Amino acid sequence: MLNRMPQLIDRYLKTSGMRLPDPNDGREELYQEMEVLKRETCKLELRLRPYHGHDLTSLPPHELDGLEQQLEHSVLKVRERKNELMQQQLENLSRKRRMLEEDNNNMYRLLHEHRNAVEFQQAGIETKPGEYQQFLEQLQYYNDHQQQPNSVLQLATLPSEIDPNYHLQLAQPNLQNDPTAKID
């Protein structure tokens, strides 16, 4: 089987019209291209050496001045970019701080409203226990004599024999009993 593999590959390549590249084709061109790239790399490395502080003794004073100006310009650009990034971070942090403060204020307000509502509800039940009990008894009386209400809508339509001080209202106010309400 192992010695049949090259025959199978050759037959496949002939049938499909493809051929394997010859390892000797183009080698010389690749070596020439590699040599050109090596020379260019060496030239670039030699030009970068002064920027790293190497071989500065062979440079004349006017080239040293130019090198110094280029390095100072590069440092200035790096500082500008660094300051831009720091300014963006400060703006993002400030925006996050404002959002957190707003969320904190909203949560505090909701907690305060909830606490007030609970205190109001407890104070209302504590200050008027007799009236509240009387209302419950009236509901019980009505429920004993009528069909038991099974929804909020039925509770809201209880007859006027229940104490008129207690009204169950749905999402809309009761405009029928309000003389100041205008109907358009």
Side-chain angles (χ1 to χ4, degrees), residues 71-150:
L71 289 173
E72 286 176 356
H73 181 70
S74 296
V75 167
L76 182 64
K77 287 210 175 257
V78 168
R79 282 189 185 137
E80 286 175 0
R81 180 64 181 145
K82 181 178 137 186
N83 287 337
E84 282 178 22
L85 292 175
M86 288 176 63
Q87 185 64 33
Q88 287 175 357
Q89 287 177 341
L90 283 173
E91 289 171 2
N92 288 341
L93 289 173
S94 178
R95 193 175 314 120
K96 284 182 183 179
R97 179 186 55 81
R98 283 192 306 270
M99 288 171 47
L100 288 173
E101 284 176 351
E102 187 177 314
D103 287 347
N104 188 29
N105 289 337
N106 288 339
M107 293 297 287
Y108 178 78
R109 183 181 46 80
L110 288 173
L111 180 64
H112 187 67
E113 288 174 0
H114 178 70
R115 185 178 298 144
N116 285 343
V118 168
E119 288 174 1
F120 180 75
Q121 184 181 22
Q122 288 175 346
I125 291 173
E126 290 172 4
T127 58
K128 301 178 185 179
E131 291 178 15
Y132 185 70
Q133 185 62 35
Q134 184 181 9
F135 174 70
L136 290 178
E137 288 172 2
Q138 287 178 350
L139 276 179
Q140 186 62 38
Y141 171 78
Y142 177 74
N143 288 338
D144 289 342
H145 291 80
Q146 299 287 331
Q147 182 181 358
Q148 182 93 1
N150 58 6

Coordinates of all heavy atoms in Angstrom, one line a residue, residues 71-150:
L71 N 14.0 63.3 18.1 CA 13.6 62.6 19.3 C 12.7 63.4 20.2 O 11.7 62.9 20.8 CB 14.9 62.2 20.1 CG 15.7 61.0 19.5 CD1 17.0 60.8 20.2 CD2 14.9 59.7 19.4
E72 N 13.0 64.7 20.3 CA 12.1 65.6 21.1 C 10.7 65.7 20.5 O 9.7 65.7 21.2 CB 12.7 67.0 21.2 CG 13.9 67.1 22.1 CD 14.6 68.5 22.2 OE1 14.1 69.4 21.4 OE2 15.5 68.7 23.0
H73 N 10.6 65.7 19.1 CA 9.3 65.7 18.5 C 8.6 64.4 18.8 O 7.4 64.4 19.0 CB 9.5 65.9 17.0 CG 8.3 65.9 16.2 ND1 7.4 67.0 16.2 CD2 7.7 65.0 15.3 CE1 6.4 66.7 15.5 NE2 6.5 65.6 14.9
S74 N 9.3 63.3 18.7 CA 8.7 62.0 19.1 C 8.2 62.0 20.5 O 7.1 61.5 20.8 CB 9.7 60.9 18.8 OG 10.0 60.8 17.5
V75 N 9.0 62.5 21.4 CA 8.6 62.5 22.8 C 7.3 63.4 23.0 O 6.4 63.0 23.7 CB 9.7 63.0 23.7 CG1 9.2 63.3 25.1 CG2 10.8 62.0 23.8
L76 N 7.3 64.5 22.3 CA 6.1 65.4 22.4 C 4.9 64.7 21.9 O 3.8 64.7 22.5 CB 6.4 66.7 21.5 CG 5.3 67.7 21.5 CD1 5.1 68.3 23.0 CD2 5.6 68.8 20.6
K77 N 5.0 64.0 20.7 CA 3.8 63.2 20.2 C 3.4 62.1 21.2 O 2.2 61.9 21.4 CB 4.2 62.6 18.9 CG 4.2 63.6 17.8 CD 3.8 62.9 16.5 CE 3.8 63.9 15.4 NZ 2.5 64.3 15.0
V78 N 4.3 61.4 21.8 CA 4.0 60.4 22.8 C 3.3 61.0 24.0 O 2.3 60.5 24.4 CB 5.3 59.6 23.2 CG1 5.0 58.7 24.4 CG2 5.8 58.8 22.1
R79 N 3.7 62.1 24.5 CA 3.1 62.8 25.6 C 1.7 63.3 25.2 O 0.8 63.1 26.0 CB 3.9 64.0 26.1 CG 5.1 63.6 26.9 CD 5.8 64.8 27.5 NE 7.0 64.3 28.2 CZ 8.1 64.9 28.2 NH1 8.3 66.1 27.5 NH2 9.1 64.5 28.8
E80 N 1.5 63.8 24.0 CA 0.2 64.2 23.6 C -0.8 63.1 23.6 O -1.9 63.2 24.0 CB 0.3 64.9 22.2 CG 0.9 66.3 22.2 CD 1.0 66.8 20.8 OE1 0.7 66.1 19.8 OE2 1.5 68.0 20.7
R81 N -0.3 62.0 23.0 CA -1.2 60.8 22.9 C -1.5 60.3 24.3 O -2.7 59.9 24.6 CB -0.6 59.7 22.1 CG -1.4 58.5 21.9 CD -2.7 58.7 21.2 NE -3.4 57.5 21.1 CZ -4.7 57.4 21.2 NH1 -5.5 58.5 21.3 NH2 -5.4 56.3 21.2
K82 N -0.6 60.2 25.2 CA -0.8 59.8 26.6 C -1.8 60.7 27.3 O -2.7 60.2 28.0 CB 0.6 59.8 27.3 CG 0.5 59.3 28.7 CD 1.9 59.3 29.3 CE 1.9 59.8 30.7 NZ 3.2 60.0 31.3
N83 N -1.6 62.0 27.1 CA -2.6 63.0 27.7 C -4.0 62.8 27.1 O -5.0 62.9 27.9 CB -2.1 64.4 27.5 CG -0.9 64.7 28.4 OD1 -0.7 64.1 29.4 ND2 -0.1 65.7 28.0
E84 N -4.1 62.5 25.8 CA -5.4 62.3 25.2 C -6.1 61.1 25.9 O -7.3 61.1 26.2 CB -5.3 62.0 23.7 CG -5.1 63.2 22.9 CD -4.9 62.8 21.4 OE1 -5.3 61.7 21.0 OE2 -4.4 63.6 20.7
L85 N -5.3 60.0 26.0 CA -5.9 58.8 26.6 C -6.2 59.0 28.1 O -7.3 58.5 28.5 CB -4.8 57.6 26.5 CG -4.6 57.1 25.1 CD1 -3.5 56.0 25.1 CD2 -5.8 56.5 24.5
M86 N -5.4 59.7 28.8 CA -5.8 60.0 30.2 C -7.0 60.9 30.3 O -7.9 60.7 31.2 CB -4.6 60.7 30.9 CG -3.4 59.7 31.1 SD -1.9 60.5 31.8 CE -2.6 61.0 33.4
Q87 N -7.2 61.9 29.4 CA -8.3 62.7 29.4 C -9.6 61.9 29.1 O -10.6 62.1 29.7 CB -8.2 63.9 28.3 CG -9.3 64.9 28.4 CD -9.4 65.6 29.7 OE1 -8.4 65.9 30.3 NE2 -10.6 66.0 30.1
Q88 N -9.5 61.0 28.1 CA -10.6 60.1 27.8 C -11.0 59.2 29.0 O -12.2 59.1 29.3 CB -10.3 59.2 26.6 CG -10.3 59.9 25.3 CD -9.8 59.0 24.2 OE1 -9.5 57.8 24.4 NE2 -9.8 59.5 23.0
Q89 N -10.0 58.7 29.7 CA -10.3 57.9 30.9 C -11.0 58.8 32.0 O -11.9 58.3 32.7 CB -9.0 57.3 31.4 CG -8.5 56.2 30.6 CD -7.2 55.6 31.1 OE1 -6.5 56.2 31.9 NE2 -6.8 54.4 30.7
L90 N -10.5 60.0 32.2 CA -11.1 60.9 33.2 C -12.6 61.2 32.8 O -13.4 61.2 33.7 CB -10.3 62.2 33.3 CG -9.0 62.1 34.1 CD1 -8.3 63.5 34.0 CD2 -9.3 61.8 35.5
E91 N -12.8 61.4 31.5 CA -14.2 61.7 31.1 C -15.1 60.5 31.3 O -16.2 60.6 31.8 CB -14.2 62.1 29.6 CG -13.6 63.5 29.4 CD -13.5 63.8 27.9 OE1 -13.8 63.0 27.0 OE2 -13.0 64.9 27.6
N92 N -14.6 59.3 31.0 CA -15.3 58.1 31.2 C -15.6 57.9 32.7 O -16.7 57.5 33.1 CB -14.6 56.9 30.6 CG -14.6 56.8 29.1 OD1 -15.4 57.5 28.5 ND2 -13.7 56.1 28.5
L93 N -14.6 58.1 33.5 CA -14.8 57.9 35.0 C -15.8 58.9 35.5 O -16.6 58.6 36.4 CB -13.5 58.0 35.7 CG -12.5 56.8 35.5 CD1 -11.2 57.1 36.1 CD2 -13.1 55.5 36.1
S94 N -15.7 60.2 35.0 CA -16.6 61.2 35.5 C -18.1 60.8 35.0 O -19.0 61.0 35.8 CB -16.2 62.5 34.8 OG -17.1 63.5 35.2
R95 N -18.2 60.3 33.8 CA -19.6 59.9 33.4 C -20.1 58.8 34.2 O -21.3 58.8 34.6 CB -19.5 59.5 31.9 CG -20.8 59.3 31.2 CD -20.7 59.0 29.7 NE -19.7 59.9 29.0 CZ -18.6 59.4 28.4 NH1 -18.4 58.1 28.3 NH2 -17.7 60.2 27.8
K96 N -19.2 57.8 34.5 CA -19.6 56.7 35.4 C -20.0 57.2 36.8 O -21.0 56.7 37.4 CB -18.5 55.6 35.5 CG -18.4 54.8 34.3 CD -17.3 53.8 34.5 CE -17.0 52.9 33.3 NZ -16.0 52.0 33.4
R97 N -19.3 58.1 37.3 CA -19.5 58.7 38.6 C -20.9 59.4 38.7 O -21.7 59.2 39.6 CB -18.5 59.7 39.1 CG -18.7 60.3 40.4 CD -17.7 61.4 40.8 NE -17.6 62.4 39.8 CZ -18.5 63.5 39.7 NH1 -19.5 63.6 40.5 NH2 -18.3 64.4 38.7
R98 N -21.2 60.2 37.6 CA -22.5 60.8 37.5 C -23.6 59.8 37.4 O -24.7 60.0 38.1 CB -22.5 61.8 36.3 CG -21.8 63.1 36.5 CD -22.1 64.1 35.5 NE -21.9 63.6 34.1 CZ -20.7 63.7 33.4 NH1 -19.7 64.3 34.0 NH2 -20.6 63.3 32.2
M99 N -23.4 58.8 36.6 CA -24.5 57.7 36.5 C -24.7 57.0 37.9 O -25.8 56.8 38.2 CB -24.1 56.7 35.4 CG -24.2 57.3 34.0 SD -23.5 56.2 32.7 CE -24.2 54.6 33.1
L100 N -23.6 56.7 38.6 CA -23.7 56.0 39.8 C -24.4 57.0 40.9 O -25.2 56.5 41.7 CB -22.4 55.6 40.3 CG -21.8 54.4 39.6 CD1 -20.3 54.1 40.0 CD2 -22.6 53.2 39.8
E101 N -24.1 58.3 40.9 CA -24.7 59.2 41.8 C -26.2 59.3 41.5 O -27.0 59.3 42.4 CB -24.1 60.6 41.7 CG -22.7 60.7 42.3 CD -22.1 62.1 42.1 OE1 -22.6 62.9 41.3 OE2 -21.1 62.3 42.8
E102 N -26.5 59.3 40.2 CA -28.0 59.4 39.8 C -28.7 58.1 40.3 O -29.8 58.2 40.8 CB -28.1 59.6 38.3 CG -29.5 59.8 37.8 CD -29.5 60.0 36.3 OE1 -28.7 60.8 35.8 OE2 -30.4 59.4 35.7
D103 N -28.1 57.0 40.0 CA -28.7 55.7 40.5 C -28.8 55.7 42.0 O -29.9 55.3 42.5 CB -27.8 54.5 40.0 CG -27.9 54.2 38.6 OD1 -28.8 54.8 37.9 OD2 -27.1 53.4 38.0
N104 N -27.8 56.2 42.7 CA -27.8 56.2 44.1 C -29.0 57.1 44.6 O -29.7 56.8 45.5 CB -26.5 56.7 44.7 CG -26.4 56.6 46.2 OD1 -27.1 55.7 46.8 ND2 -25.6 57.4 46.8
N105 N -29.1 58.3 44.0 CA -30.2 59.2 44.4 C -31.6 58.6 44.1 O -32.5 58.8 44.9 CB -30.0 60.5 43.6 CG -28.9 61.4 44.1 OD1 -28.4 61.2 45.2 ND2 -28.4 62.2 43.3
N106 N -31.7 57.9 43.0 CA -33.0 57.3 42.6 C -33.3 56.2 43.7 O -34.5 56.1 44.1 CB -33.0 56.7 41.2 CG -33.0 57.8 40.2 OD1 -33.4 58.9 40.4 ND2 -32.5 57.4 39.0
M107 N -32.3 55.4 44.0 CA -32.5 54.3 45.0 C -32.9 54.9 46.4 O -33.8 54.4 47.0 CB -31.3 53.4 45.1 CG -31.0 52.6 43.8 SD -32.3 51.5 43.5 CE -32.0 50.3 44.7
Y108 N -32.2 56.0 46.7 CA -32.5 56.6 48.0 C -33.9 57.2 48.0 O -34.7 57.0 49.0 CB -31.5 57.8 48.3 CG -31.7 58.5 49.6 CD1 -31.4 58.0 50.8 CD2 -32.4 59.7 49.5 CE1 -31.6 58.6 52.0 CE2 -32.6 60.4 50.7 CZ -32.3 59.9 51.9 OH -32.5 60.5 53.1
R109 N -34.3 57.8 46.9 CA -35.7 58.4 46.8 C -36.7 57.3 46.9 O -37.7 57.4 47.6 CB -35.8 59.2 45.5 CG -37.2 59.8 45.3 CD -37.3 60.6 44.0 NE -36.8 59.8 42.8 CZ -37.5 58.9 42.2 NH1 -38.7 58.6 42.7 NH2 -37.1 58.2 41.2
L110 N -36.5 56.2 46.2 CA -37.4 55.1 46.2 C -37.5 54.5 47.6 O -38.6 54.2 48.1 CB -37.0 54.0 45.2 CG -37.3 54.4 43.7 CD1 -36.7 53.3 42.8 CD2 -38.7 54.6 43.4
L111 N -36.4 54.3 48.2 CA -36.4 53.8 49.6 C -37.1 54.7 50.5 O -37.9 54.2 51.4 CB -34.9 53.5 50.1 CG -34.8 53.0 51.5 CD1 -35.3 51.6 51.5 CD2 -33.3 53.0 51.8
H112 N -36.9 56.0 50.4 CA -37.5 57.0 51.3 C -39.0 57.0 51.0 O -39.8 57.0 52.0 CB -36.9 58.4 51.0 CG -37.4 59.4 51.9 ND1 -37.1 59.4 53.2 CD2 -38.2 60.5 51.7 CE1 -37.6 60.5 53.8 NE2 -38.3 61.2 52.9
E113 N -39.5 56.9 49.8 CA -40.9 56.9 49.4 C -41.5 55.6 50.0 O -42.6 55.6 50.5 CB -41.1 56.9 47.9 CG -40.8 58.3 47.3 CD -40.9 58.3 45.8 OE1 -41.2 57.2 45.2 OE2 -40.7 59.4 45.2
H114 N -40.8 54.5 49.9 CA -41.4 53.2 50.4 C -41.5 53.3 51.9 O -42.5 52.9 52.5 CB -40.5 52.1 50.0 CG -40.9 50.7 50.5 ND1 -42.1 50.1 50.0 CD2 -40.4 49.9 51.4 CE1 -42.2 49.0 50.7 NE2 -41.2 48.8 51.5
R115 N -40.5 53.8 52.5 CA -40.5 53.9 54.0 C -41.7 54.8 54.4 O -42.4 54.5 55.4 CB -39.2 54.5 54.5 CG -39.1 54.5 56.0 CD -37.8 55.0 56.5 NE -36.7 54.1 56.1 CZ -35.5 54.5 55.7 NH1 -35.2 55.8 55.8 NH2 -34.6 53.7 55.4
N116 N -41.8 56.0 53.8 CA -42.9 56.9 54.1 C -44.3 56.2 53.9 O -45.2 56.4 54.7 CB -42.9 58.1 53.3 CG -41.8 59.1 53.7 OD1 -41.3 58.9 54.8 ND2 -41.4 60.0 52.9
A117 N -44.4 55.4 52.8 CA -45.7 54.8 52.5 C -46.0 53.7 53.6 O -47.1 53.6 54.1 CB -45.7 54.1 51.1
V118 N -45.0 53.0 54.0 CA -45.2 52.0 55.1 C -45.6 52.7 56.4 O -46.5 52.3 57.1 CB -43.9 51.1 55.2 CG1 -44.0 50.3 56.5 CG2 -43.8 50.2 54.0
E119 N -44.9 53.8 56.7 CA -45.2 54.5 58.0 C -46.6 55.1 57.9 O -47.3 55.0 58.9 CB -44.1 55.6 58.2 CG -42.8 55.1 58.6 CD -41.7 56.2 58.7 OE1 -42.0 57.4 58.4 OE2 -40.6 55.8 59.0
F120 N -47.0 55.6 56.7 CA -48.3 56.2 56.6 C -49.4 55.1 56.7 O -50.4 55.3 57.4 CB -48.4 56.9 55.2 CG -49.7 57.5 55.0 CD1 -50.1 58.7 55.6 CD2 -50.6 56.9 54.1 CE1 -51.3 59.3 55.3 CE2 -51.9 57.4 53.9 CZ -52.2 58.6 54.5
Q121 N -49.1 54.0 56.1 CA -50.1 52.9 56.2 C -50.2 52.4 57.7 O -51.3 52.2 58.2 CB -49.6 51.7 55.3 CG -50.6 50.6 55.3 CD -50.1 49.5 54.3 OE1 -49.0 49.4 54.1 NE2 -51.1 48.7 53.9
Q122 N -49.1 52.2 58.3 CA -49.1 51.8 59.7 C -49.8 52.8 60.6 O -50.6 52.5 61.5 CB -47.7 51.5 60.2 CG -47.1 50.3 59.6 CD -45.6 50.1 60.1 OE1 -45.0 51.0 60.6 NE2 -45.1 48.9 59.8
A123 N -49.5 54.1 60.4 CA -50.1 55.2 61.2 C -51.6 55.2 60.9 O -52.4 55.4 61.9 CB -49.4 56.5 60.9
G124 N -52.0 55.0 59.7 CA -53.5 55.1 59.4 C -54.2 53.9 60.1 O -55.3 54.1 60.6
I125 N -53.6 52.8 60.1 CA -54.3 51.6 60.8 C -54.2 51.8 62.3 O -55.2 51.5 63.0 CB -53.6 50.3 60.3 CG1 -53.9 50.0 58.9 CG2 -54.1 49.1 61.2 CD1 -53.1 48.8 58.3
E126 N -53.1 52.3 62.8 CA -53.0 52.5 64.3 C -53.9 53.6 64.8 O -54.5 53.5 65.9 CB -51.6 52.8 64.6 CG -50.7 51.6 64.4 CD -49.2 51.9 64.6 OE1 -48.9 53.1 65.0 OE2 -48.4 51.0 64.4
T127 N -54.1 54.7 64.0 CA -54.9 55.8 64.6 C -56.4 55.6 64.4 O -57.1 56.2 65.1 CB -54.5 57.1 63.9 OG1 -54.7 56.9 62.5 CG2 -53.1 57.5 64.2
K128 N -56.8 54.7 63.5 CA -58.2 54.5 63.2 C -58.6 53.0 63.3 O -59.2 52.5 62.4 CB -58.6 55.1 61.9 CG -58.3 56.6 61.7 CD -58.7 57.0 60.3 CE -58.3 58.4 60.1 NZ -58.7 58.9 58.7
P129 N -58.2 52.3 64.3 CA -58.5 50.9 64.3 C -60.0 50.6 64.4 O -60.5 49.7 63.7 CB -57.8 50.4 65.6 CG -57.6 51.5 66.5 CD -57.5 52.7 65.5
G130 N -60.8 51.5 65.1 CA -62.2 51.2 65.1 C -62.9 51.5 63.8 O -63.7 50.7 63.3
E131 N -62.5 52.5 63.1 CA -63.1 52.8 61.8 C -62.7 51.7 60.8 O -63.5 51.3 60.0 CB -62.6 54.2 61.3 CG -63.2 55.3 62.0 CD -62.6 56.6 61.5 OE1 -62.0 56.6 60.4 OE2 -62.7 57.7 62.2
Y132 N -61.5 51.3 60.8 CA -61.0 50.2 59.9 C -61.8 48.9 60.2 O -62.2 48.2 59.3 CB -59.5 50.0 60.1 CG -58.9 49.0 59.1 CD1 -58.8 49.4 57.8 CD2 -58.5 47.8 59.5 CE1 -58.3 48.5 56.9 CE2 -57.9 46.9 58.6 CZ -57.8 47.3 57.3 OH -57.3 46.4 56.4
Q133 N -62.0 48.6 61.4 CA -62.7 47.4 61.8 C -64.2 47.5 61.4 O -64.8 46.5 60.9 CB -62.6 47.1 63.3 CG -63.2 45.8 63.8 CD -62.6 44.6 63.2 OE1 -61.4 44.6 62.9 NE2 -63.3 43.6 62.9
Q134 N -64.8 48.7 61.5 CA -66.1 48.9 61.1 C -66.3 48.7 59.6 O -67.2 48.1 59.1 CB -66.6 50.3 61.5 CG -68.0 50.6 61.2 CD -68.4 52.1 61.6 OE1 -67.5 52.9 62.0 NE2 -69.7 52.4 61.5
F135 N -65.3 49.2 58.9 CA -65.3 49.0 57.4 C -65.3 47.5 57.0 O -66.0 47.1 56.2 CB -64.2 49.8 56.8 CG -64.0 49.6 55.3 CD1 -64.9 50.1 54.4 CD2 -62.9 48.8 54.8 CE1 -64.8 49.9 53.0 CE2 -62.8 48.6 53.5 CZ -63.7 49.1 52.6
L136 N -64.4 46.8 57.7 CA -64.3 45.4 57.5 C -65.6 44.7 57.8 O -66.0 43.8 57.1 CB -63.1 44.8 58.2 CG -61.7 45.2 57.8 CD1 -60.7 44.5 58.7 CD2 -61.5 44.8 56.3
E137 N -66.3 45.1 58.9 CA -67.5 44.5 59.3 C -68.6 44.8 58.2 O -69.4 43.9 57.9 CB -68.0 45.0 60.7 CG -67.1 44.4 61.8 CD -67.4 45.0 63.1 OE1 -68.3 45.9 63.2 OE2 -66.8 44.7 64.1
Q138 N -68.6 46.0 57.7 CA -69.6 46.3 56.7 C -69.4 45.5 55.4 O -70.3 45.0 54.8 CB -69.5 47.8 56.3 CG -70.1 48.7 57.4 CD -69.9 50.2 57.0 OE1 -69.2 50.5 56.1 NE2 -70.6 51.1 57.7
L139 N -68.1 45.3 55.1 CA -67.8 44.4 53.9 C -68.3 43.0 54.2 O -68.9 42.4 53.3 CB -66.3 44.4 53.6 CG -65.7 45.5 52.8 CD1 -64.2 45.4 52.6 CD2 -66.4 45.5 51.4
Q140 N -68.1 42.5 55.4 CA -68.5 41.2 55.8 C -70.0 41.1 55.7 O -70.6 40.1 55.2 CB -68.0 40.8 57.2 CG -68.3 39.4 57.6 CD -67.6 38.4 56.6 OE1 -66.5 38.6 56.2 NE2 -68.3 37.3 56.3
Y141 N -70.7 42.1 56.2 CA -72.2 42.1 56.2 C -72.7 42.0 54.7 O -73.6 41.3 54.4 CB -72.7 43.4 56.9 CG -74.2 43.6 56.7 CD1 -75.1 42.8 57.4 CD2 -74.7 44.5 55.7 CE1 -76.5 43.0 57.2 CE2 -76.1 44.6 55.5 CZ -77.0 43.9 56.3 OH -78.3 44.0 56.1
Y142 N -72.1 42.9 53.9 CA -72.5 42.9 52.5 C -72.2 41.5 51.8 O -73.0 41.0 51.1 CB -71.7 44.0 51.7 CG -72.0 44.0 50.3 CD1 -73.3 44.5 49.8 CD2 -71.1 43.5 49.3 CE1 -73.6 44.5 48.5 CE2 -71.4 43.5 48.0 CZ -72.6 44.0 47.6 OH -72.9 44.0 46.2
N143 N -71.0 41.0 52.2 CA -70.6 39.7 51.6 C -71.6 38.6 52.1 O -71.8 37.6 51.3 CB -69.2 39.4 51.9 CG -68.2 40.2 51.1 OD1 -68.6 40.8 50.1 ND2 -67.0 40.4 51.7
D144 N -72.1 38.7 53.3 CA -73.0 37.6 53.8 C -74.3 37.7 53.1 O -75.0 36.6 52.9 CB -73.2 37.8 55.3 CG -71.9 37.4 56.1 OD1 -71.0 36.7 55.5 OD2 -71.8 37.8 57.3
H145 N -74.8 38.9 52.7 CA -76.1 39.0 52.1 C -76.0 39.0 50.5 O -77.1 38.9 49.9 CB -76.7 40.3 52.5 CG -77.1 40.3 54.0 ND1 -76.2 40.5 55.0 CD2 -78.3 40.1 54.6 CE1 -76.8 40.4 56.1 NE2 -78.1 40.1 55.9
Q146 N -74.9 39.2 49.9 CA -74.8 39.2 48.5 C -73.8 38.2 48.1 O -73.1 37.5 48.9 CB -74.3 40.6 48.0 CG -75.2 41.8 48.4 CD -76.4 41.8 47.5 OE1 -76.4 41.3 46.4 NE2 -77.5 42.2 48.0
Q147 N -73.6 38.1 46.8 CA -72.6 37.2 46.2 C -71.2 37.7 46.6 O -71.0 38.9 46.5 CB -72.8 37.0 44.7 CG -71.8 36.0 44.1 CD -72.1 35.9 42.6 OE1 -72.9 36.6 42.1 NE2 -71.2 35.2 42.0
Q148 N -70.3 36.9 46.9 CA -68.9 37.2 47.3 C -68.3 37.9 46.1 O -68.2 37.3 45.0 CB -68.2 36.0 47.7 CG -66.8 36.3 48.1 CD -66.7 36.5 49.6 OE1 -67.7 36.4 50.3 NE2 -65.5 36.7 50.1
P149 N -67.7 39.1 46.2 CA -67.0 39.7 45.1 C -65.7 39.0 44.8 O -65.0 38.6 45.8 CB -66.7 41.2 45.5 CG -66.8 41.2 47.0 CD -67.7 40.0 47.3
N150 N -65.4 38.7 43.6 CA -64.1 38.0 43.3 C -63.2 38.7 42.5 O -62.2 38.2 41.9 CB -64.5 36.6 42.6 CG -65.3 36.8 41.3 OD1 -65.4 38.0 40.9 ND2 -65.7 35.8 40.7

